[in-house]
Amino acid sequence: MSVAKKEIKRITTHVLQNMKEQGEKISMLTAYDYSMARILDDAGIDILLVGDSASNVMAGHETTLPITLEQMIYHAQSVVRAVERAFVVVDLPFGSYQGNSTKALNSAISIMKESGAHAVKLEGGSEIEESVRRILSAGVPVMGHLGLTPQSIYKFGTYSVRAREEAEANKLREDALLLEECGCFAIVLEKIPATLGKEVAASVRIPVIGIGAGNGTDGQVLVMHDVLGITKDFSPRFLRRYLNLYDTIKEAINNYITDVKSGSFPSDEEQY
Ligand code: KIV
């Protein structure tokens, strides 16, 4: 007897656009490896972001700047292998697109060709317009990222809330419209006032996904390690932790060490 395979409807840019139009919120989390991506996809997450936050949570760097294109491709390949339903977006890392649209195009093509991901994400607005347009002209979907853009941390000097001042808020409003006009399929807004997040989401037709941008955006994104409580020392106001895995894992490992040291593992049933 053959068992019917479960029909899985893949998330595409069109599905995401429909979700915005129907008022259905979009769920997005970061993922960097096969095993976690499999669980997140199975749970029904809409978008998996292979974020350059891998530089922090996977590699232990202080910022997102050191991670390379090759390392991002490695993480993206692992995630893509796990996914049956979610839409997979990959961050173009620092230095792979700024100031040179040919390099940007080549970086995006490498990611798409070598990982099988579905889209790329770039940080910035008018400064990277040429790169965004060239990548889009090659048929690669682009997600924008405005507000707090961690690749510019040394320019900002701090991870505090962005666009509180009118001039910066106006630039963000204009950049969002520009990214939409270029043809981006979605925009991430990071760490800005909730009123501005809501206003920008209402001003563009494409989905706007917030992280610390309030409840008025079309969806939310968080870093998976923060949501699961694997990271311990990062507690911004916008973060909701759903687990405290750091302590849970530590306790399990303590128990394992105790069992090995005492000789109670393996038991008679756990050997051949
Ligand atoms: O790299 C990342 O995790 C991100 C999210 C914070 C949106 O860009």
Side-chain angles (χ1 to χ4, degrees), residues 28 30 32 49-54 64 91 121 123 145 150 188 190 211 221-223:
M28 170 164 157
T30 63
Y32 319 97
L49 171 66
V50 184
D52 58 359
S53 49
T64 57
D91 267 334
K121 176 164 81 60
E123 294 183 5
H145 184 155
V188 165
E190 181 164 354
I211 171 165
V221 56
L222 287 171
V223 170

PDB file of all heavy atoms in Angstrom, residues 28 30 32 49-54 64 91 121 123 145 150 188 190 211 221-223, ligand 1:
ATOM      1  N   MET A  28       8.797  35.239  10.699  1.00  0.00           N
ATOM      2  CA  MET A  28      10.151  35.064  10.132  1.00  0.00           C
ATOM      3  C   MET A  28      11.131  34.898  11.283  1.00  0.00           C
ATOM      4  O   MET A  28      11.013  35.559  12.320  1.00  0.00           O
ATOM      5  CB  MET A  28      10.479  36.314   9.295  1.00  0.00           C
ATOM      6  CG  MET A  28      11.880  36.484   8.800  1.00  0.00           C
ATOM      7  SD  MET A  28      11.879  37.758   7.483  1.00  0.00           S
ATOM      8  CE  MET A  28      13.569  38.308   7.514  1.00  0.00           C
ATOM      9  N   THR A  30      15.545  33.694  12.070  1.00  0.00           N
ATOM     10  CA  THR A  30      16.825  33.358  11.444  1.00  0.00           C
ATOM     11  C   THR A  30      17.075  31.854  11.601  1.00  0.00           C
ATOM     12  O   THR A  30      16.557  31.210  12.522  1.00  0.00           O
ATOM     13  CB  THR A  30      17.992  34.116  12.099  1.00  0.00           C
ATOM     14  OG1 THR A  30      18.108  33.729  13.465  1.00  0.00           O
ATOM     15  CG2 THR A  30      17.807  35.614  11.990  1.00  0.00           C
ATOM     16  N   TYR A  32      20.573  28.985  10.604  1.00  0.00           N
ATOM     17  CA  TYR A  32      21.931  28.933  10.043  1.00  0.00           C
ATOM     18  C   TYR A  32      22.394  27.501   9.785  1.00  0.00           C
ATOM     19  O   TYR A  32      23.456  27.300   9.205  1.00  0.00           O
ATOM     20  CB  TYR A  32      22.932  29.587  11.014  1.00  0.00           C
ATOM     21  CG  TYR A  32      22.407  30.847  11.669  1.00  0.00           C
ATOM     22  CD1 TYR A  32      21.838  30.809  12.937  1.00  0.00           C
ATOM     23  CD2 TYR A  32      22.460  32.067  10.998  1.00  0.00           C
ATOM     24  CE1 TYR A  32      21.332  31.957  13.540  1.00  0.00           C
ATOM     25  CE2 TYR A  32      21.962  33.213  11.596  1.00  0.00           C
ATOM     26  CZ  TYR A  32      21.398  33.150  12.861  1.00  0.00           C
ATOM     27  OH  TYR A  32      20.906  34.296  13.450  1.00  0.00           O
ATOM     28  N   LEU A  49      15.454  33.407   7.546  1.00  0.00           N
ATOM     29  CA  LEU A  49      16.526  34.323   7.144  1.00  0.00           C
ATOM     30  C   LEU A  49      17.867  33.729   7.553  1.00  0.00           C
ATOM     31  O   LEU A  49      18.106  33.505   8.752  1.00  0.00           O
ATOM     32  CB  LEU A  49      16.339  35.687   7.839  1.00  0.00           C
ATOM     33  CG  LEU A  49      17.513  36.662   7.674  1.00  0.00           C
ATOM     34  CD1 LEU A  49      17.679  37.093   6.213  1.00  0.00           C
ATOM     35  CD2 LEU A  49      17.332  37.896   8.562  1.00  0.00           C
ATOM     36  N   VAL A  50      18.702  33.465   6.572  1.00  0.00           N
ATOM     37  CA  VAL A  50      20.090  33.103   6.875  1.00  0.00           C
ATOM     38  C   VAL A  50      20.791  34.446   7.091  1.00  0.00           C
ATOM     39  O   VAL A  50      21.293  35.077   6.167  1.00  0.00           O
ATOM     40  CB  VAL A  50      20.727  32.284   5.731  1.00  0.00           C
ATOM     41  CG1 VAL A  50      22.140  31.850   6.115  1.00  0.00           C
ATOM     42  CG2 VAL A  50      19.857  31.087   5.391  1.00  0.00           C
ATOM     43  N   GLY A  51      20.709  34.911   8.331  1.00  0.00           N
ATOM     44  CA  GLY A  51      21.169  36.266   8.653  1.00  0.00           C
ATOM     45  C   GLY A  51      22.680  36.313   8.844  1.00  0.00           C
ATOM     46  O   GLY A  51      23.297  35.323   9.247  1.00  0.00           O
ATOM     47  N   ASP A  52      23.221  37.515   8.597  1.00  0.00           N
ATOM     48  CA  ASP A  52      24.656  37.657   8.889  1.00  0.00           C
ATOM     49  C   ASP A  52      24.882  37.760  10.398  1.00  0.00           C
ATOM     50  O   ASP A  52      26.024  37.834  10.861  1.00  0.00           O
ATOM     51  CB  ASP A  52      25.282  38.839   8.127  1.00  0.00           C
ATOM     52  CG  ASP A  52      24.619  40.157   8.428  1.00  0.00           C
ATOM     53  OD1 ASP A  52      23.652  40.191   9.215  1.00  0.00           O
ATOM     54  OD2 ASP A  52      25.078  41.184   7.873  1.00  0.00           O
ATOM     55  N   SER A  53      23.768  37.694  11.182  1.00  0.00           N
ATOM     56  CA  SER A  53      23.897  37.524  12.634  1.00  0.00           C
ATOM     57  C   SER A  53      24.567  36.186  12.954  1.00  0.00           C
ATOM     58  O   SER A  53      24.957  35.949  14.097  1.00  0.00           O
ATOM     59  CB  SER A  53      22.528  37.614  13.315  1.00  0.00           C
ATOM     60  OG  SER A  53      21.594  36.788  12.658  1.00  0.00           O
ATOM     61  N   ALA A  54      24.730  35.311  11.953  1.00  0.00           N
ATOM     62  CA  ALA A  54      25.555  34.101  12.115  1.00  0.00           C
ATOM     63  C   ALA A  54      26.947  34.484  12.602  1.00  0.00           C
ATOM     64  O   ALA A  54      27.593  33.741  13.336  1.00  0.00           O
ATOM     65  CB  ALA A  54      25.661  33.348  10.790  1.00  0.00           C
ATOM     66  N   THR A  64      28.558  41.966  12.900  1.00  0.00           N
ATOM     67  CA  THR A  64      28.261  41.145  11.715  1.00  0.00           C
ATOM     68  C   THR A  64      29.300  41.353  10.612  1.00  0.00           C
ATOM     69  O   THR A  64      29.234  40.687   9.572  1.00  0.00           O
ATOM     70  CB  THR A  64      26.867  41.503  11.149  1.00  0.00           C
ATOM     71  OG1 THR A  64      26.828  42.899  10.843  1.00  0.00           O
ATOM     72  CG2 THR A  64      25.763  41.177  12.131  1.00  0.00           C
ATOM     73  N   ASP A  91      21.299  36.963   3.772  1.00  0.00           N
ATOM     74  CA  ASP A  91      21.935  38.280   3.849  1.00  0.00           C
ATOM     75  C   ASP A  91      23.169  38.338   2.962  1.00  0.00           C
ATOM     76  O   ASP A  91      24.020  37.436   3.013  1.00  0.00           O
ATOM     77  CB  ASP A  91      22.411  38.555   5.295  1.00  0.00           C
ATOM     78  CG  ASP A  91      21.384  39.308   6.105  1.00  0.00           C
ATOM     79  OD1 ASP A  91      20.568  40.045   5.518  1.00  0.00           O
ATOM     80  OD2 ASP A  91      21.395  39.170   7.342  1.00  0.00           O
ATOM     81  N   LYS A 121      19.023  39.627   0.972  1.00  0.00           N
ATOM     82  CA  LYS A 121      18.678  40.844   1.724  1.00  0.00           C
ATOM     83  C   LYS A 121      19.905  41.756   1.767  1.00  0.00           C
ATOM     84  O   LYS A 121      21.028  41.279   1.980  1.00  0.00           O
ATOM     85  CB  LYS A 121      18.204  40.487   3.138  1.00  0.00           C
ATOM     86  CG  LYS A 121      17.930  41.725   4.012  1.00  0.00           C
ATOM     87  CD  LYS A 121      17.098  41.391   5.243  1.00  0.00           C
ATOM     88  CE  LYS A 121      17.848  40.808   6.395  1.00  0.00           C
ATOM     89  NZ  LYS A 121      18.918  41.663   6.962  1.00  0.00           N
ATOM     90  N   GLU A 123      21.317  45.706   3.258  1.00  0.00           N
ATOM     91  CA  GLU A 123      21.054  46.805   4.197  1.00  0.00           C
ATOM     92  C   GLU A 123      21.268  48.147   3.499  1.00  0.00           C
ATOM     93  O   GLU A 123      22.305  48.362   2.866  1.00  0.00           O
ATOM     94  CB  GLU A 123      22.001  46.700   5.404  1.00  0.00           C
ATOM     95  CG  GLU A 123      21.746  45.464   6.250  1.00  0.00           C
ATOM     96  CD  GLU A 123      22.626  45.395   7.491  1.00  0.00           C
ATOM     97  OE1 GLU A 123      23.380  46.361   7.762  1.00  0.00           O
ATOM     98  OE2 GLU A 123      22.569  44.370   8.186  1.00  0.00           O
ATOM     99  N   HIS A 145      16.417  46.397   3.941  1.00  0.00           N
ATOM    100  CA  HIS A 145      16.606  46.417   5.410  1.00  0.00           C
ATOM    101  C   HIS A 145      16.969  47.851   5.789  1.00  0.00           C
ATOM    102  O   HIS A 145      18.026  48.350   5.395  1.00  0.00           O
ATOM    103  CB  HIS A 145      17.721  45.434   5.782  1.00  0.00           C
ATOM    104  CG  HIS A 145      17.945  45.285   7.259  1.00  0.00           C
ATOM    105  ND1 HIS A 145      18.499  44.152   7.823  1.00  0.00           N
ATOM    106  CD2 HIS A 145      17.711  46.121   8.309  1.00  0.00           C
ATOM    107  CE1 HIS A 145      18.583  44.296   9.138  1.00  0.00           C
ATOM    108  NE2 HIS A 145      18.121  45.493   9.453  1.00  0.00           N
ATOM    109  N   PRO A 150      22.928  46.757  11.128  1.00  0.00           N
ATOM    110  CA  PRO A 150      24.119  46.407  11.922  1.00  0.00           C
ATOM    111  C   PRO A 150      25.449  46.454  11.157  1.00  0.00           C
ATOM    112  O   PRO A 150      26.502  46.610  11.767  1.00  0.00           O
ATOM    113  CB  PRO A 150      23.807  44.990  12.410  1.00  0.00           C
ATOM    114  CG  PRO A 150      22.318  44.925  12.434  1.00  0.00           C
ATOM    115  CD  PRO A 150      21.871  45.734  11.248  1.00  0.00           C
ATOM    116  N   VAL A 188      12.696  44.816   5.683  1.00  0.00           N
ATOM    117  CA  VAL A 188      12.831  44.667   7.140  1.00  0.00           C
ATOM    118  C   VAL A 188      13.082  46.041   7.737  1.00  0.00           C
ATOM    119  O   VAL A 188      13.884  46.823   7.211  1.00  0.00           O
ATOM    120  CB  VAL A 188      14.008  43.716   7.496  1.00  0.00           C
ATOM    121  CG1 VAL A 188      14.385  43.841   8.966  1.00  0.00           C
ATOM    122  CG2 VAL A 188      13.637  42.273   7.176  1.00  0.00           C
ATOM    123  N   GLU A 190      14.312  47.680  11.313  1.00  0.00           N
ATOM    124  CA  GLU A 190      14.898  47.270  12.590  1.00  0.00           C
ATOM    125  C   GLU A 190      14.996  48.437  13.560  1.00  0.00           C
ATOM    126  O   GLU A 190      15.530  49.506  13.229  1.00  0.00           O
ATOM    127  CB  GLU A 190      16.298  46.658  12.345  1.00  0.00           C
ATOM    128  CG  GLU A 190      16.953  46.186  13.630  1.00  0.00           C
ATOM    129  CD  GLU A 190      18.143  45.244  13.408  1.00  0.00           C
ATOM    130  OE1 GLU A 190      18.408  44.850  12.262  1.00  0.00           O
ATOM    131  OE2 GLU A 190      18.794  44.905  14.414  1.00  0.00           O
ATOM    132  N   ILE A 211      11.566  44.207  13.333  1.00  0.00           N
ATOM    133  CA  ILE A 211      12.284  43.661  14.494  1.00  0.00           C
ATOM    134  C   ILE A 211      12.518  44.870  15.398  1.00  0.00           C
ATOM    135  O   ILE A 211      13.281  45.778  15.056  1.00  0.00           O
ATOM    136  CB  ILE A 211      13.590  42.914  14.118  1.00  0.00           C
ATOM    137  CG1 ILE A 211      14.408  42.568  15.378  1.00  0.00           C
ATOM    138  CG2 ILE A 211      14.442  43.648  13.084  1.00  0.00           C
ATOM    139  CD1 ILE A 211      15.512  41.541  15.157  1.00  0.00           C
ATOM    140  N   VAL A 221      10.278  39.503  12.765  1.00  0.00           N
ATOM    141  CA  VAL A 221      11.449  38.642  12.677  1.00  0.00           C
ATOM    142  C   VAL A 221      12.260  38.774  13.956  1.00  0.00           C
ATOM    143  O   VAL A 221      12.332  39.866  14.534  1.00  0.00           O
ATOM    144  CB  VAL A 221      12.331  38.965  11.438  1.00  0.00           C
ATOM    145  CG1 VAL A 221      12.786  40.410  11.390  1.00  0.00           C
ATOM    146  CG2 VAL A 221      13.546  38.036  11.356  1.00  0.00           C
ATOM    147  N   LEU A 222      12.826  37.660  14.419  1.00  0.00           N
ATOM    148  CA  LEU A 222      13.757  37.677  15.546  1.00  0.00           C
ATOM    149  C   LEU A 222      14.891  36.709  15.241  1.00  0.00           C
ATOM    150  O   LEU A 222      14.776  35.860  14.346  1.00  0.00           O
ATOM    151  CB  LEU A 222      13.061  37.249  16.842  1.00  0.00           C
ATOM    152  CG  LEU A 222      12.079  38.254  17.484  1.00  0.00           C
ATOM    153  CD1 LEU A 222      11.314  37.607  18.633  1.00  0.00           C
ATOM    154  CD2 LEU A 222      12.791  39.516  17.977  1.00  0.00           C
ATOM    155  N   VAL A 223      15.966  36.847  15.992  1.00  0.00           N
ATOM    156  CA  VAL A 223      17.086  35.912  15.873  1.00  0.00           C
ATOM    157  C   VAL A 223      16.734  34.654  16.681  1.00  0.00           C
ATOM    158  O   VAL A 223      16.372  34.744  17.861  1.00  0.00           O
ATOM    159  CB  VAL A 223      18.394  36.567  16.378  1.00  0.00           C
ATOM    160  CG1 VAL A 223      19.519  35.544  16.495  1.00  0.00           C
ATOM    161  CG2 VAL A 223      18.800  37.710  15.436  1.00  0.00           C
TER     162      VAL A 223
HETATM  163  O1  KIV B   1      21.139  39.073  10.403  1.00  0.00           O
HETATM  164  C1  KIV B   1      20.042  39.130  10.998  1.00  0.00           C
HETATM  165  O2  KIV B   1      19.746  38.346  11.900  1.00  0.00           O
HETATM  166  C2  KIV B   1      19.091  40.161  10.583  1.00  0.00           C
HETATM  167  C3  KIV B   1      17.842  40.299  11.395  1.00  0.00           C
HETATM  168  C4  KIV B   1      18.156  41.013  12.649  1.00  0.00           C
HETATM  169  C5  KIV B   1      16.764  40.960  10.645  1.00  0.00           C
HETATM  170  O3  KIV B   1      19.328  40.869   9.658  1.00  0.00           O
END
